[in-house]
Each structure stands twice: as structure tokens, then as C-alpha cells.
Amino acid sequence: MSASTLGRRYGRAVLALAQESGELDKVKTDFDGVLASWNGSSELQNVFENPKVGPEARRSVIDALAGRMGLSGIVVRTLKLLSDRRRMRALPEVIEAFRILAEETAGQLRAEVKTAKPMPDAYYTELGRVLERIVGRKIVVVPSVDPSLLGGVVARVGDRVFDGSVKNRLTELKESLLLN
């Protein structure tokens, strides 16, 4: 998933602030929690998307969220800035851009891994190690589920795709049989 221009602009600014203050890990953790709350609560989204809710009420919601979650000042200020500018809808894009930029800064590559069903964490850890050996860089595994794969795994690292899915194997077998 690529982040929007707006997301990248805010993500870059947050990354710079987090690096300057030495709070990069805290900001990453806080953003994970904020995104989970955002995605899990249509009520929270409605507060920020409803034009009838004033700026002070939105700021109060952010303060309550910050108090409950123990959010860093950088995250709180970012949320308030997005809210004041009526751009909270872009929050997932800002967080995604921040993550990607933080990974790039750390010399890491993102591996988008699709499996037919959810796998245990140990599976993704081992797959990350294998991909690190192949590409020669630190890998951050981002798992997702795609039942259409039938089985196996598809990993995308940058512009390289490693397709070990049953669906792909069946397609290859079909093409092989048709050529013979």
C-alpha cells in the first residue's frame, strides 16, 4: 500500500520530530495503538468526520485518548494538528507513511506476505529470516490473508515477488500441460 502525498508529508515531519527527541520507538508503538483504536471504532471516526463536532470537542477526545493510552507528546500534537485541519481521515495514511519512512531510515525492507489463512508468529519470523538471507537486508514482515491463494505464500519485497502459492503452482502446471 502506498501512502498519499499528504500522508508522506506528515509522516516525514513526525519521523523527524521522533528522531530528534529520541522517541522513535515510543511513537511507533503509540501509532500502532492509535491506528487500532481508529480502525476499531466507527464512533471515534464519526467524531472527527462530523462537521457539527467543534474543534474543542475534538481536542477533548484526543486528550482523553492520550490520557487513556499514555501517548507521547509528538503523537498528541500530530493528532491535534490533523484534527484542527480537518484531515483526520488521512490518519491511516500518515501512520503508514511514517512506518515506511522509519523502516527505510533503519535500512529495512518491507515484505508484504500473503497467506491463505493466518499463520503463527513463528512462521512469519522464520520467513523473515529466509527473506533476509535472500535479499541481504533486514526485513519487516507485514502479513495479510488472501483465501484465493488456496495455500502457500506470496511475498513481495520491493519490486521482487516470491510466489509459492498453490494457485500459482496449479497455473504453472496447467500451462506446462497445455504446452506438451
Side-chain angles (χ1 to χ4, degrees):
M1 169 200 271
S2 64
S4 68
T5 302
L6 177 73
R8 284 190 305 273
R9 185 179 322 133
Y10 280 93
R12 195 174 303 116
V14 173
L15 177 64
L17 290 170
Q19 288 174 319
E20 286 174 17
S21 67
E23 295 184 40
L24 187 59
D25 291 335
K26 173 73 172 143
V27 171
K28 284 181 189 176
T29 303
D30 288 356
F31 268 158
D32 289 343
V34 167
L35 187 59
S37 295
W38 179 263
N39 289 337
S41 175
S42 59
E43 292 173 357
L44 182 61
Q45 293 177 27
N46 288 337
V47 165
F48 291 99
E49 292 175 4
N50 186 342
K52 292 182 181 179
V53 178
E56 289 307 314
R58 291 192 312 267
R59 283 176 158 260
S60 294
V61 169
I62 292 169
D63 288 336
L65 189 66
R68 192 182 76 216
M69 296 177 72
L71 300 177
S72 73
I74 293 170
V75 172
V76 173
R77 288 190 302 275
T78 301
L79 294 175
K80 287 182 177 180
L81 182 64
L82 289 170
S83 173
D84 291 348
R85 294 187 177 177
R86 306 292 295 174
R87 292 181 170 167
M88 282 294 282
R89 185 175 297 192
L91 179 64
E93 296 169 16
V94 171
I95 293 172
E96 179 71 7
F98 169 80
R99 285 179 181 159
I100 291 169
L101 291 167
E103 291 164 5
E104 288 173 0
T105 301
Q108 300 172 330
L109 283 176
R110 178 172 285 219
E112 297 174 3
V113 176
K114 292 182 185 178
T115 55
K117 63 178 188 167
M119 302 301 284
D121 289 340
Y123 176 83
Y124 295 114
T125 302
E126 182 58 29
L127 182 61
R129 285 187 194 121
V130 169
L131 291 171
E132 284 176 6
R133 284 193 300 267
I134 292 170
V135 299
R137 287 182 58 190
K138 179 78 175 134
I139 296 290
V140 176
V141 175
V142 180
S144 65
V145 175
D146 182 358
S148 73
L149 294 178
L150 304 175
V153 62
V154 176
R156 177 182 301 273
V157 181
D159 59 353
R160 294 172 70 181
V161 177
F162 303 94
D163 193 341
S165 66
V166 171
K167 182 178 178 180
N168 184 54
R169 298 287 189 224
L170 290 172
T171 301
E172 288 173 354
L173 180 62
K174 179 182 172 185
E175 289 173 3
S176 168
L177 292 172
L178 291 174
L179 291 175
N180 292 331

